[in-house]
Amino acid sequence: MARVYNFSAGPAMLPEAVLAQARDEMLDWRGSGMCVAEMSHRGKEFMSIAAEAEADLRELLAIPANYKVLFLQGGASLQFAMIPMNLLRGAEGADYINTGSWSKKAIAEARHYGTVNVAATTESSKFTRAPAQDELNLSADAAYVHYTPNETIEGVEFPYVPETGDKPLVADMSSTILSRPIDVSKFGLIYAGAQKNIGPAGLTIVIVREDLIGQPINGTPTMLDYKIHADNDSMYNTPPTYAWYLAGLVFKWLKDMGGLAAMADVNARKARKLYDVIDASSFYANPVAPTDRSWMNVPFTLANAELDEVFLKEAKAAGLTTLKGHRSVGGMRASIYNAMPEAGVDALVAFMQEFERRNG
Amino acid sequence: MARVYNFSAGPAMLPEAVLAQARDEMLDWRGSGMCVAEMSHRGKEFMSIAAEAEADLRELLAIPANYKVLFLQGGASLQFAMIPMNLLRGAEGADYINTGSWSKKAIAEARHYGTVNVAATTESSKFTRAPAQDELNLSADAAYVHYTPNETIEGVEFPYVPETGDKPLVADMSSTILSRPIDVSKFGLIYAGAQKNIGPAGLTIVIVREDLIGQPINGTPTMLDYKIHADNDSMYNTPPTYAWYLAGLVFKWLKDMGGLAAMADVNARKARKLYDVIDASSFYANPVAPTDRSWMNVPFTLANAELDEVFLKEAKAAGLTTLKGHRSVGGMRASIYNAMPEAGVDALVAFMQEFERRNG
């Protein structure tokens, strides 16, 4: 079968050029006689792959020198524990902004380690908007402020970076990292599971200001101590080497595409095309406040939910897969990360218009 | 370059047939139009891959129905914390057998969560043997007994499974799992980082008797609670899908090879060839008690350590790579896991004999 346009929220599409290169290097990485997955993580071949990936990520995001970049395991779900364990640093608790499903999970886990002040919540509006800066009730004694810049399930994205004064800002960027340039210096810690916009599942990237780490709470497992990983260049134990390599190929591809400013242009255009077709129709709907709509995850419903199954079936037959929305919100969701070609969005738009014409 | 014989202790060689299949399926897994790394872990394609891998592993190891098989992240190093956090179940501590570098790491981490009774240690003999059953001083109130059946660095392997009465036996099988049949029912919990004998780094397999889980200590992160993963078929969060898929291909390959009884024959023969050439010579030496020598990791020294660099350089030129021993024991180490073809061992033996003739 031909390659499909896969709108999965994650794991998600990878650039075809990356997959082709990985395929060609599978049995012999550049004359080494080995697949990257077979290499000792302490050998010079993998050490060069690892270092180059980090250097490329630092270049793409313009990461300042006083930030460590960690290549870890466990996904955002493990970060939900690691963040309070490492960043509370003697404080009673932290501020969390609640904007949807992933915020709630982060909050629930943080409560095992300290008090959580919910600095704002949009639950009463069914998580269809981001709170404004002046809605944030930040507490004086919070160790940090946590938020989810992009909610993968609800399709809500902050159009601004919250101002938190001298409190470190912690961001779950799993579904938005690398979609556009950001100012890393505004953040204390950025984390992201790789499986949406970086590479394969099983790799988690953490970018952390180095003065924030080194004071984990009692009982923190060695493997959950950021300082241990920082001091060992993410090789305290065997890292997920093959995923690290694939992520490095994605970083090279992003550089080839022109970097994050160029990706931002494409991503804004892809999202606009989808929201335009939704807004122009009474057949499709998206409930999110227009200013706060996600570039990466576009949930939408059909006016007649009885058509959902037909829509999904016909879309799949047209090579447009994994469009079913999360069960908590229903309908459809098109996740359109960096690796989704603009042609894939064009194909979806054409399919949606044609489907509406036949069924609307 | 041609494929090399890579004697790395881990990450280590993968079967060439597995790599070739992964290469061929990289852009399109069986007509799905997707790489496995791009698939939603909740989709029917990946669910079938995951289930088949588990079924094959259960068949290979004859895992009883009252054991859960978990596909996790974090490596053995994270298990060093998860085991006491989950298995102490109100007890003060546990028994640990100290047979080398990895035992010591497991002990150090367990001490964060309870008392450790070192039931036996072979440190005074520089970890060159396994303790006998009658040397084990098991304590009456231990929650479990932990040991390392194969010490990857020292090349020491238990020739027997310790009897621990009604105490659950916990085994770090990272470097021995799948090398031969075992009786899983003798164990409470078996764990293994994948990167030696299962698949790529970033996947950790845990096989646990289901009555032992569900009572984690306070403060255990959700992601470190075995019960959470067991209840969610290892999909509480996004698992390392591509690594899981590659492990599944390795399991199929093992079945094609005739299963673990057949692998045991090959592995015993590969190890004997290497130990024979070492023992027949005064040029090479291995310090481990003959009954306790590892089938998987064969450390050896040259009589004249000044020849080490020449040995490594000439071996590499002959396509025999990553033979340098761990810095803590020096010399050489040939790791010869399942995926190392017997022809690779034959080539190493021939090289060693020739090198001795020229330099002995």
Side-chain angles (χ1 to χ4, degrees), chain B residues 246-270:
Chain B
L246 287 179
L249 296 184
V250 171
F251 301 152
K252 287 276 183 236
W253 176 81
L254 287 170
K255 289 173 69 177
D256 290 346
M257 296 290 283
L260 301 192
M263 292 313 299
D265 288 344
V266 178
N267 286 326
R269 197 163 61 231
K270 283 156 56 184

Side-chain angles (χ1 to χ4, degrees), chain B residues 203-359:
Chain B
L203 174 68
T204 309
I205 305 258
V206 173
I207 303 165
V208 60
R209 220 176 66 208
E210 57 193 9
D211 62 288
L212 297 177
I213 61 177
Q215 301 171 59
I217 61 173
N218 283 336
T220 300
T222 303
M223 282 288 292
L224 303 197
D225 179 349
Y226 292 128
K227 188 74 161 49
I228 293 286
H229 295 291
D231 288 349
N232 289 280
D233 295 328
S234 305
M235 295 202 197
Y236 168 73
N237 73 329
T238 312
T241 51
Y242 197 72
W244 192 331
Y245 153 73
L246 287 179
L249 296 184
V250 171
F251 301 152
K252 287 276 183 236
W253 176 81
L254 287 170
K255 289 173 69 177
D256 290 346
M257 296 290 283
L260 301 192
M263 292 313 299
D265 288 344
V266 178
N267 286 326
R269 197 163 61 231
K270 283 156 56 184
R272 194 167 52 245
K273 285 180 176 180
L274 262 177
Y275 288 117
D276 279 353
V277 72
I278 292 166
D279 289 342
S281 143
S282 55
F283 188 80
Y284 300 110
N286 168 288
V288 179
T291 52
D292 304 341
R293 284 171 165 175
S294 169
W295 284 7
M296 296 284 107
N297 310 100
V298 182
F300 60 93
T301 51
L302 277 57
N304 178 0
E306 286 177 10
L307 290 172
D308 283 3
E309 288 308 313
V310 183
F311 182 95
L312 289 166
K313 190 178 161 191
E314 292 186 6
K316 184 165 185 184
L320 308 167
T321 72
T322 329
L323 279 160
K324 187 169 185 174
H326 192 273
R327 61 186 179 281
S328 64
V329 294
M332 309 296 151
R333 174 174 48 173
S335 294
I336 50 173
Y337 302 114
N338 283 334
M340 170 61 67
E342 191 163 354
V345 173
D346 292 340
L348 176 58
V349 163
F351 171 81
M352 288 170 69
Q353 290 173 325
E354 166 67 14
F355 189 85
E356 179 180 0
R357 188 156 49 241
R358 284 188 285 108
N359 296 280

Side-chain angles (χ1 to χ4, degrees), chain A residues 128-174:
Chain A
T128 54
R129 65 182 192 88
Q133 174 74 42
D134 63 9
E135 292 179 77
L136 307 181
N137 292 305
L138 304 179
S139 49
D141 53 356
Y144 58 87
V145 180
H146 179 282
Y147 85 123
T148 311
N150 184 75
E151 287 280 0
T152 316
I153 292 176
E154 290 79 5
V156 173
E157 189 156 8
F158 276 72
Y160 71 101
V161 176
E163 290 290 339
T164 57
D166 61 351
K167 303 293 184 189
L169 181 62
V170 176
D172 176 358
M173 291 208 184
S174 295

Side-chain angles (χ1 to χ4, degrees), chain A residues 24-220:
Chain A
D24 295 344
E25 295 179 342
M26 182 63 84
L27 274 87
D28 180 11
W29 182 82
R30 303 184 195 176
S32 67
M34 295 181 276
C35 175
V36 174
E38 301 178 295
M39 293 175 181
S40 169
H41 55 299
R42 313 265 183 217
K44 68 176 169 36
E45 293 92 348
F46 185 74
M47 296 286 277
S48 76
I49 290 167
E52 200 164 319
E54 179 178 336
D56 285 336
L57 181 61
R58 284 185 175 277
E59 182 182 331
L60 283 165
L61 285 168
I63 299 172
N66 63 323
Y67 285 74
K68 296 287 190 182
V69 177
L70 309 179
F71 291 78
L72 306 180
Q73 301 182 52
S77 294
L78 187 55
Q79 292 307 309
F80 296 162
M82 286 178 72
I83 286 160
M85 290 178 118
N86 284 273
L87 297 193
L88 280 175
R89 295 172 297 144
E92 286 285 309
D95 289 343
Y96 277 69
I97 302 174
N98 181 17
T99 51
S101 304
W102 289 104
S103 298
K104 288 173 89 163
K105 287 205 171 196
I107 289 168
E109 190 74 8
R111 287 198 164 121
H112 296 165
Y113 306 100
T115 58
V116 167
N117 169 51
V118 177
T121 175
T122 55
E123 188 152 21
S124 66
S125 62
K126 294 186 179 172
F127 299 126
T128 54
R129 65 182 192 88
Q133 174 74 42
D134 63 9
E135 292 179 77
L136 307 181
N137 292 305
L138 304 179
S139 49
D141 53 356
Y144 58 87
V145 180
H146 179 282
Y147 85 123
T148 311
N150 184 75
E151 287 280 0
T152 316
I153 292 176
E154 290 79 5
V156 173
E157 189 156 8
F158 276 72
Y160 71 101
V161 176
E163 290 290 339
T164 57
D166 61 351
K167 303 293 184 189
L169 181 62
V170 176
D172 176 358
M173 291 208 184
S174 295
S175 51
T176 183
I177 195 166
L178 296 173
S179 68
R180 72 193 77 187
I182 54 170
D183 180 352
V184 172
S185 72
K186 289 186 174 176
F187 298 87
L189 186 149
I190 291 166
Y191 64 103
Q195 67 272 13
K196 299 171 191 296
N197 231 353
I198 294 173
L203 173 69
T204 309
I205 303 255
V206 172
I207 302 165
V208 59
R209 221 176 65 207
E210 58 193 9
D211 62 288
L212 298 177
I213 62 178
Q215 300 172 60
I217 61 173
N218 284 337
T220 300

Side-chain angles (χ1 to χ4, degrees), chain B:
Chain B
M1 179 173 186
R3 296 264 305 158
V4 295
Y5 294 121
N6 167 18
F7 294 89
S8 173
M13 285 189 83
L14 291 164
E16 188 167 334
V18 164
L19 293 175
Q21 183 170 347
R23 176 197 60 202
D24 295 344
E25 296 178 342
M26 181 64 84
L27 275 86
D28 180 11
W29 182 82
R30 303 182 194 177
S32 67
M34 295 181 275
C35 174
V36 174
E38 301 178 296
M39 294 174 180
S40 168
H41 55 299
R42 313 265 183 216
K44 69 176 168 35
E45 294 93 347
F46 185 75
M47 296 286 277
S48 75
I49 290 168
E52 200 164 321
E54 179 178 336
D56 285 336
L57 181 61
R58 284 186 174 277
E59 182 182 333
L60 285 165
L61 284 169
I63 299 173
N66 63 323
Y67 285 74
K68 296 287 190 183
V69 177
L70 309 178
F71 291 78
L72 306 180
Q73 300 182 52
S77 294
L78 187 55
Q79 292 306 309
F80 296 162
M82 285 177 72
I83 287 160
M85 290 177 118
N86 284 274
L87 297 193
L88 280 174
R89 296 172 298 145
E92 286 285 309
D95 288 343
Y96 277 71
I97 303 174
N98 181 16
T99 50
S101 304
W102 289 104
S103 297
K104 288 172 88 163
K105 287 204 171 197
I107 289 168
E109 190 74 8
R111 286 198 164 119
H112 297 164
Y113 306 100
T115 57
V116 168
N117 169 49
V118 177
T121 175
T122 55
E123 187 151 20
S124 65
S125 62
K126 293 186 179 171
F127 299 127
T128 55
R129 66 183 190 87
Q133 175 73 43
D134 63 10
E135 292 179 76
L136 307 182
N137 293 305
L138 303 179
S139 48
D141 54 355
Y144 58 87
V145 181
H146 179 282
Y147 85 122
T148 312
N150 185 75
E151 287 280 359
T152 317
I153 291 176
E154 289 80 5
V156 173
E157 190 156 7
F158 277 73
Y160 70 101
V161 176
E163 290 290 340
T164 56
D166 61 351
K167 304 292 185 189
L169 181 61
V170 176
D172 175 359
M173 291 208 184
S174 296
S175 51
T176 183
I177 194 166
L178 297 173
S179 69
R180 72 194 77 188
I182 54 171
D183 181 352
V184 172
S185 72
K186 289 187 173 175
F187 298 87
L189 187 150
I190 291 167
Y191 64 103
Q195 68 272 14
K196 300 170 190 298
N197 231 353
I198 294 172
L203 174 68
T204 309
I205 305 258
V206 173
I207 303 165
V208 60
R209 220 176 66 208
E210 57 193 9
D211 62 288
L212 297 177
I213 61 177
Q215 301 171 59
I217 61 173
N218 283 336
T220 300
T222 303
M223 282 288 292
L224 303 197
D225 179 349
Y226 292 128
K227 188 74 161 49
I228 293 286
H229 295 291
D231 288 349
N232 289 280
D233 295 328
S234 305
M235 295 202 197
Y236 168 73
N237 73 329
T238 312
T241 51
Y242 197 72
W244 192 331
Y245 153 73
L246 287 179
L249 296 184
V250 171
F251 301 152
K252 287 276 183 236
W253 176 81
L254 287 170
K255 289 173 69 177
D256 290 346
M257 296 290 283
L260 301 192
M263 292 313 299
D265 288 344
V266 178
N267 286 326
R269 197 163 61 231
K270 283 156 56 184
R272 194 167 52 245
K273 285 180 176 180
L274 262 177
Y275 288 117
D276 279 353
V277 72
I278 292 166
D279 289 342
S281 143
S282 55
F283 188 80
Y284 300 110
N286 168 288
V288 179
T291 52
D292 304 341
R293 284 171 165 175
S294 169
W295 284 7
M296 296 284 107
N297 310 100
V298 182
F300 60 93
T301 51
L302 277 57
N304 178 0
E306 286 177 10
L307 290 172
D308 283 3
E309 288 308 313
V310 183
F311 182 95
L312 289 166
K313 190 178 161 191
E314 292 186 6
K316 184 165 185 184
L320 308 167
T321 72
T322 329
L323 279 160
K324 187 169 185 174
H326 192 273
R327 61 186 179 281
S328 64
V329 294
M332 309 296 151
R333 174 174 48 173
S335 294
I336 50 173
Y337 302 114
N338 283 334
M340 170 61 67
E342 191 163 354
V345 173
D346 292 340
L348 176 58
V349 163
F351 171 81
M352 288 170 69
Q353 290 173 325
E354 166 67 14
F355 189 85
E356 179 180 0
R357 188 156 49 241
R358 284 188 285 108
N359 296 280

Side-chain angles (χ1 to χ4, degrees), chain A residues 286-309:
Chain A
N286 169 288
V288 178
T291 53
D292 305 340
R293 284 170 166 178
S294 170
W295 284 7
M296 297 284 106
N297 310 100
V298 182
F300 60 94
T301 50
L302 276 56
N304 178 0
E306 287 176 11
L307 290 172
D308 283 2
E309 288 308 313

